[in-house]
Amino acid sequence: MRLLTNRFSLLGILFLILSNGTLTTSAQSVAQKKAAGHNLYRNKPATDFFEGALLGNGAMGVNVTTRPDAVVLYFGHNNVWDIRIAENHKDEIGTFQEIFEKVTKIPTTLKHLTDDDWYKSYNKMTADNYSKAYPRPFPCGSIVLSFDRRKTTLLGHKLDISNGVCTVFFLDERNEKNELKIFTDMQSDKLWMKYTNSKDELIAHPFSRIRLIPDPATPPEFPKYTTQENLAAGRLSFRQILPTSEQASRNAQPKDRAFSLNIELNSQLSKKDRINWYGNAQSMNVLEANFPDQTQFFACISLKEGLDSQVPATFTPGIKISADTLSHTLSENYKHWDKYWNKSYVVLDDSFLEQVWYRNLYFLNCAVKAGVTCPGLFANWSYKDIGTAWHGDYHMNYNTQQPFWVTFSSNRLEKNLPYVELIESLMPVSRSWAKNYYKLPGAYFPHSAYPVEMSINPYPIPDWGWEVSETPWAIQGLWWHYLYSADKDFLKNRAYEPIKAAVEFLVAYMQRSEATDPNRWKDGKFHIFPTVPPELYGLRPGFQYNYDTNADLSLTRFAFKAFQQATKVLGKSQTEKVLLEQIDTILSKFPEYPTTESASNGKILVSVPGEHDQVVYNVPLPLFTVFPAEEHGLHSDPETQKILTNTFNNQQNEGGNDIVFQNIQAARIGKLDLEAFKRHVNYALLPNGTVTDAVMQTGGRYDDLTDYLYMGKMGIWFENFALPAVINECLLQGYNGKIRLFPNWPLAKDASFTDLRTAGAFLVSASLKNKKIQQVRIYSEKGEKLTFINPWDSGYYQRSGKGDKIEFTSKELSLDTRSGETVTFFSKK
């Protein structure tokens, strides 16, 4: 199977570059063809930001929108932020112990802690820094390419997700259809355009005017952008400084950043006045110009960013743009996309689910790549205040982690590296906060964070700043990266220290006197106290609902076990003997997961002790033991599975934070209704093909006056690009070292997948046809132990390089494998 995949990959990169600069593929891989079957189309102008075609190379993002009279391109970049940061009140924040003791004295008769004057004032003070509009992603400007509607009609556009090309369709005055092809260079921060006929031949273009517009929401206190116009050379450019100083008007600082957006055209430009609505002559704006008539059109727009001292003061073009340069870039892009799609692919007898799978993996590739700043909430697409809600930053209680869940099973581990880099960048402030605020060892990861230098927790308000679960959750993606890659060098050099630091904090936190006080607990156990369940309750008078939450317990247990395994893999058991003994002691006296009785569903898991069964959650908390903690699932004993089913049937979620999260949980216990999942996705689907966070019900934080799609206009929700992970979990589960096929997929629906990845660095390919699982091929990347759940009554397996077929009848088969070996499993019947 892998040889077949690689053969298609080679075919997919064969190109014919014709003398006129056009380019066609001589062959496409199976994966690319499947992706192309889910292209995005619009048969009318796409004027709204959320109707446009999304392009990107993982660093620069471009949104292609269209008007009846123009094409408008919006630019953003993961590295480009308003990097100012407020870090006031350092001396007023105090220490955790000081605040804890004061909160302890607040009367438990109050409904809210903020009913206490001191706490209300403290709450406001600790939220002050975060109340600033910055840091935030900084939009990089837009480009308007307009035409005469009397001669040209804009028909719509197509976004080809198999190769990242957006084609805008036009009808000229001769009633002929022509095209503007637009694509981002996948290797550098450039966007290319060319105007052709339907045969991909360069022809005279209809454009009359081009305008480059710095973002209208640029803070007025920022240094004024500088402009450059070279009309004879067909160049327009502006450059914006991004100051580090909170008071942006101060003198330049060494760490100030800057960016420039630069247009290069193949023709000269000119300025021309026009008569406006008042009958007066109106001159063109700066960075606005006219085109000459009857010329061919191709263009390159480049975005340069970095330290202010490194971004050139004036735009100097690199290589001369030409049709040949454009075609070469496009051919390299085809190679990139062919390689990307062939990492894994699916063929499903359900067009909508297949569409969700391919489109969201397309968006993921546009939004994130190693070596570039980890995307925040809305990735690399922004304009004015779009993409800036909640600073567009990192929320460490699901938003930041979720988009990277898809990288593991989809066999795109390189896409997880920006998350790894983020955690590495947060280590200094996390260690400092543990030491100076908590007076404890290790690292405490903040609730909110920015991709800028921080010296304190940006949002230390106890209501959310005391969420202990975010610390083990932060390092989970590093452990998963090791589990799915079996890369010991990665574990040793990148994952181990953050995991250890998180565990050091958690061990110390659970050993505090307040967490073990026999007068309070009377059970001899180590408790996680105080804490706050994600997106629920906040800090309560008397610490009601502020201890031993499901999220804290399950993720802490996950972190402890990860550390235990990591020390064995790296031979550090003796070196870490004291810490390991402390973990063993805590686990031997670990609190039980909170439960309650539901009148209609029986015994269920809840988010925190003392909780009733009718809570409407924002984050799906009761099933954290299933996912993300991975302690429970289809492998659990029947009694536990019954409780999980009861919990799933009972759980209410208000929407917004559940479309990926809750549905992965359901798939992990084999309870996901795929038709209900499709309805959920379709409800939250935007015209551009992305899925927003959408409200589902009242009873939690929302009421009857809530706009149920209020989050849809905030930006492109990066986190929901993880939707293919839900589908992967229906096709294959191997997170616990046991490979289970089609665990939540209806037998009546044919399906196949190629090279989905499981823990142990196994790439699995299998198909379901005519209600029967066909042969299964498992490639062992690192020679780990393979455990296979037998889907048949009996079968046999065959190793690559060996002719022997070995029969088996057991329901669970374990094999030692060699690195680079493929094991094929067949049904005996």
Side-chain angles (χ1 to χ4, degrees):
M1 184 70 79
R2 288 188 57 75
L3 291 176
L4 183 65
T5 300
N6 291 336
R7 179 172 69 83
F8 276 119
S9 181
L10 291 173
L11 286 172
I13 62 175
L14 297 176
F15 296 96
L16 175 65
I17 300 179
L18 305 178
S19 58
N20 64 1
T22 64
L23 180 149
T24 61
T25 58
S26 61
Q28 272 190 319
S29 67
V30 172
Q32 273 194 309
K33 287 180 179 178
K34 292 303 298 181
H38 300 289
N39 293 334
L40 285 148
Y41 296 87
R42 189 168 182 84
N43 63 359
K44 60 182 179 179
T47 59
D48 187 77
F49 188 89
F50 297 95
E51 298 171 336
L54 300 180
L55 306 176
N57 61 11
M60 181 180 75
V62 183
N63 190 347
V64 181
T65 65
T66 53
R67 308 187 319 215
D69 66 337
V71 176
V72 184
L73 312 175
Y74 299 99
F75 288 78
H77 199 289
N78 282 327
N79 286 348
V80 178
W81 278 63
D82 180 344
I83 55 176
R84 296 173 295 167
I85 185 170
E87 293 195 322
N88 305 316
H89 313 295
K90 288 184 181 182
D91 297 333
E92 302 169 64
I93 293 173
T95 67
F96 168 77
Q97 192 63 30
E98 291 170 348
I99 306 307
F100 173 76
E101 290 174 0
K102 289 185 177 182
V103 172
T104 301
K105 296 176 182 178
I106 295 176
T108 59
T109 53
L110 298 180
K111 287 187 175 181
H112 307 284
L113 285 178
T114 49
D115 292 338
D116 177 85
D117 290 340
W118 167 81
Y119 186 81
K120 183 177 181 179
S121 176
Y122 182 82
N123 191 285
K124 181 179 179 181
M125 179 270 293
T126 51
D128 179 55
N129 289 331
Y130 198 76
S131 68
K132 303 292 192 297
Y134 46 83
R136 67 177 179 94
F138 196 89
C140 298
S142 55
I143 293 172
V144 179
L145 197 60
S146 64
F147 51 87
D148 188 336
R149 289 180 53 234
R150 294 169 297 180
K151 300 177 181 179
T152 302
T153 301
L154 190 143
L155 301 175
H157 73 257
K158 176 184 80 171
L159 175 58
D160 189 335
I161 68 168
S162 75
N163 55 33
V165 176
C166 174
T167 303
V168 181
F169 300 103
F170 299 87
L171 189 68
D172 67 18
E173 55 191 339
R174 296 184 301 277
N175 211 37
E176 294 180 354
K177 292 183 179 180
N178 302 314
E179 303 172 349
L180 177 66
K181 290 185 172 64
I182 310 170
F183 60 93
T184 54
D185 186 333
M186 299 306 292
Q187 304 303 322
S188 63
D189 293 335
K190 295 180 180 179
L191 177 135
W192 291 85
M193 296 187 286
K194 67 173 180 177
Y195 193 81
T196 70
N197 60 20
S198 58
K199 298 178 181 179
D200 204 31
E201 299 166 334
L202 289 168
I203 59 172
H205 68 84
F207 303 117
S208 57
R209 179 177 66 96
I210 190 168
R211 184 180 180 190
L212 177 58
I213 308 175
D215 193 73
T218 299
E221 67 271 22
F222 265 28
K224 179 70 174 178
Y225 59 82
T226 57
T227 64
Q228 181 183 351
E229 294 182 340
N230 187 334
L231 302 181
R235 296 176 195 147
L236 302 172
S237 175
F238 82 89
R239 184 181 187 276
Q240 177 67 61
I241 294 174
L242 304 169
T244 55
S245 173
E246 193 179 353
Q247 296 179 355
S249 59
R250 288 182 179 175
N251 294 331
Q253 302 294 318
K255 293 183 180 180
D256 287 352
R257 297 184 68 83
F259 72 91
S260 64
L261 191 63
N262 317 288
I263 299 174
E264 291 181 79
L265 303 165
N266 66 313
S267 62
Q268 295 182 347
L269 295 170
S270 63
K271 296 278 191 179
K272 184 179 179 181
D273 291 349
R274 69 179 182 87
I275 302 300
N276 65 18
W277 188 79
Y278 295 100
N280 300 320
Q282 180 173 316
S283 300
M284 282 192 146
N285 295 286
V286 176
L287 301 179
E288 182 180 25
N290 287 110
F291 289 101
D293 294 332
Q294 300 301 312
T295 60
Q296 294 180 342
F297 173 86
F298 48 89
C300 179
I301 293 90
S302 60
L303 196 160
K304 300 182 182 297
E305 52 77 27
L307 290 174
D308 181 29
S309 59
Q310 296 174 346
V311 176
T314 57
F315 172 55
T316 303
I319 59 173
K320 181 176 176 59
I321 68 165
S322 66
D324 288 340
T325 308
L326 184 151
S327 293
H328 174 74
T329 302
L330 189 54
S331 70
E332 292 300 309
N333 273 17
Y334 270 73
K335 295 176 186 178
H336 170 95
W337 282 103
D338 181 77
K339 182 178 179 181
Y340 180 74
W341 287 122
N342 276 285
K343 288 179 179 295
S344 69
Y345 57 94
V346 301
V347 180
L348 307 178
D349 187 19
D350 189 306
S351 59
F352 185 77
L353 290 177
E354 198 178 79
Q355 169 186 295
V356 169
W357 198 91
Y358 283 98
R359 286 183 178 178
N360 283 280
L361 282 173
Y362 165 79
F363 295 133
L364 183 78
N365 197 32
C366 293
V368 60
K369 70 178 177 182
V372 177
T373 299
C374 182
L377 291 171
F378 307 107
N380 48 357
W381 297 284
S382 57
Y383 173 65
K384 297 173 71 174
D385 62 347
I386 296 174
T388 65
W390 296 292
H391 295 264
D393 64 13
Y394 308 118
H395 285 36
M396 303 301 290
N397 64 348
Y398 108 88
N399 307 82
T400 305
Q401 291 91 337
Q402 180 169 293
F404 299 97
W405 295 344
V406 73
T407 66
F408 303 107
S409 58
S410 295
N411 192 25
R412 288 163 172 84
L413 286 179
E414 75 284 354
K415 294 295 182 184
N416 186 53
L417 291 176
Y419 180 82
V420 175
E421 292 159 2
L422 169 64
I423 298 303
E424 291 171 333
S425 72
L426 293 179
M427 284 297 290
V429 71
S430 301
R431 284 190 181 277
S432 173
W433 195 250
K435 178 182 178 181
N436 297 320
Y437 180 72
Y438 281 99
K439 308 298 181 182
L440 295 176
Y444 180 93
F445 288 88
H447 170 70
S448 293
Y450 316 118
V452 302
E453 191 174 319
M454 298 170 288
S455 64
I456 59 172
N457 185 333
Y459 195 50
I461 177 174
D463 275 353
W464 307 118
W466 285 8
E467 283 188 45
V468 176
S469 62
E470 292 175 282
T471 288
W473 210 345
I475 54 87
Q476 184 177 52
L478 279 63
W479 178 245
W480 275 341
H481 195 104
Y482 165 70
L483 280 185
Y484 282 76
S485 68
D487 185 341
K488 293 181 181 178
D489 287 338
F490 172 85
L491 177 61
K492 176 183 178 181
N493 299 321
R494 304 193 69 175
Y496 186 75
E497 283 305 318
I499 291 173
K500 177 183 175 181
V503 168
E504 285 178 320
F505 176 84
L506 293 167
V507 165
Y509 194 74
M510 294 185 73
Q511 290 179 327
R512 291 164 35 255
S513 61
E514 293 85 356
T516 58
D517 182 3
N519 293 322
R520 174 185 286 272
W521 304 107
K522 299 180 176 59
D523 60 6
K525 295 182 179 181
F526 296 88
H527 296 271
I528 299 179
F529 168 76
T531 187
V532 179
E535 302 297 319
L536 191 66
Y537 304 129
L539 200 62
R540 299 278 300 147
F543 300 109
Q544 182 187 24
Y545 305 137
N546 294 132
Y547 66 95
D548 294 345
T549 78
N550 190 314
D552 292 297
L553 295 177
S554 59
L555 288 170
T556 295
R557 189 188 289 272
F558 180 98
F560 284 171
K561 291 184 175 181
F563 182 71
Q564 289 171 325
Q565 293 178 53
T567 56
K568 291 180 181 178
V569 171
L570 298 178
K572 291 180 174 286
S573 297
Q574 281 301 115
T575 306
E576 305 292 359
K577 183 179 179 180
V578 173
L579 186 55
L580 289 169
E581 287 177 348
Q582 291 174 322
I583 290 172
D584 287 339
T585 300
I586 292 173
L587 288 176
S588 70
K589 299 177 181 180
F590 205 75
E592 299 295 325
Y593 293 121
T595 61
T596 195
E597 286 290 331
S598 165
S600 55
N601 291 296
K603 186 177 182 180
I604 61 171
L605 292 160
V606 291
S607 75
V608 66
E611 189 174 75
H612 60 79
D613 67 332
Q614 296 300 311
V615 176
V616 178
Y617 298 101
N618 184 262
V619 175
L621 300 176
L623 285 176
F624 258 55
T625 63
V626 173
F627 187 86
E630 301 189 323
E631 184 175 347
H632 297 147
L634 291 172
H635 59 280
S636 297
D637 61 80
E639 182 181 353
T640 300
Q641 287 198 41
K642 175 62 176 173
I643 295 172
L644 299 177
T645 299
N646 293 346
T647 304
F648 174 73
N649 290 336
N650 185 79
Q651 187 171 227
Q652 299 183 81
N653 287 82
E654 65 189 9
N657 296 347
D658 61 349
I659 197 163
V660 174
F661 208 148
Q662 186 182 16
N663 290 310
I664 286 183
Q665 292 175 337
R668 284 282 177 93
I669 60 174
K671 298 299 179 182
L672 177 59
D673 180 339
L674 284 172
E675 294 305 312
F677 172 61
K678 288 158 60 177
R679 290 192 295 270
H680 192 174
V681 173
N682 191 50
Y683 163 58
L685 196 61
L686 296 180
N688 60 13
T690 68
V691 173
T692 188
D693 283 347
V695 175
M696 297 292 286
Q697 70 172 83
T698 61
R701 71 184 68 192
Y702 304 124
D703 61 30
D704 293 328
L705 299 180
T706 300
D707 176 359
Y708 269 42
L709 294 178
Y710 79 96
M711 288 180 278
K713 290 293 184 179
M714 289 180 173
I716 308 300
W717 284 94
F718 175 52
E719 64 194 46
N720 290 334
F721 298 167
L723 277 166
V726 178
I727 298 167
N728 292 347
E729 294 296 330
C730 295
L731 301 173
L732 172 71
Q733 291 179 21
Y735 63 91
N736 64 344
K738 297 181 179 182
I739 293 174
R740 193 182 302 268
L741 300 167
F742 302 101
N744 198 125
W745 189 264
L747 290 177
K749 280 184 181 286
D750 289 353
S752 68
F753 57 86
T754 299
D755 287 349
L756 294 185
R757 182 178 285 268
T758 70
F762 294 107
L763 300 181
V764 184
S765 303
S767 63
L768 172 67
K769 190 172 184 180
N770 298 327
K771 300 184 179 181
K772 185 177 179 181
I773 296 175
Q774 309 297 309
Q775 74 174 29
V776 181
R777 293 185 178 178
I778 302 177
Y779 175 77
S780 176
E781 213 170 53
K782 295 294 178 66
E784 295 289 304
K785 192 176 190 67
L786 168 63
T787 301
F788 178 71
I789 304 297
N790 179 11
W792 309 295
D793 293 332
S794 61
Y796 56 89
Y797 68 89
Q798 187 175 25
R799 295 177 183 269
S800 59
K802 292 186 177 181
D804 298 336
K805 294 181 179 179
I806 302 174
E807 186 176 350
F808 64 93
T809 57
S810 60
K811 295 306 294 180
E812 185 174 304
L813 180 67
S814 292
L815 301 173
D816 292 324
T817 66
R818 302 186 308 274
S819 177
E821 178 181 42
T822 298
V823 183
T824 306
F825 296 86
F826 307 85
S827 171
K828 190 175 181 181
K829 297 180 181 179

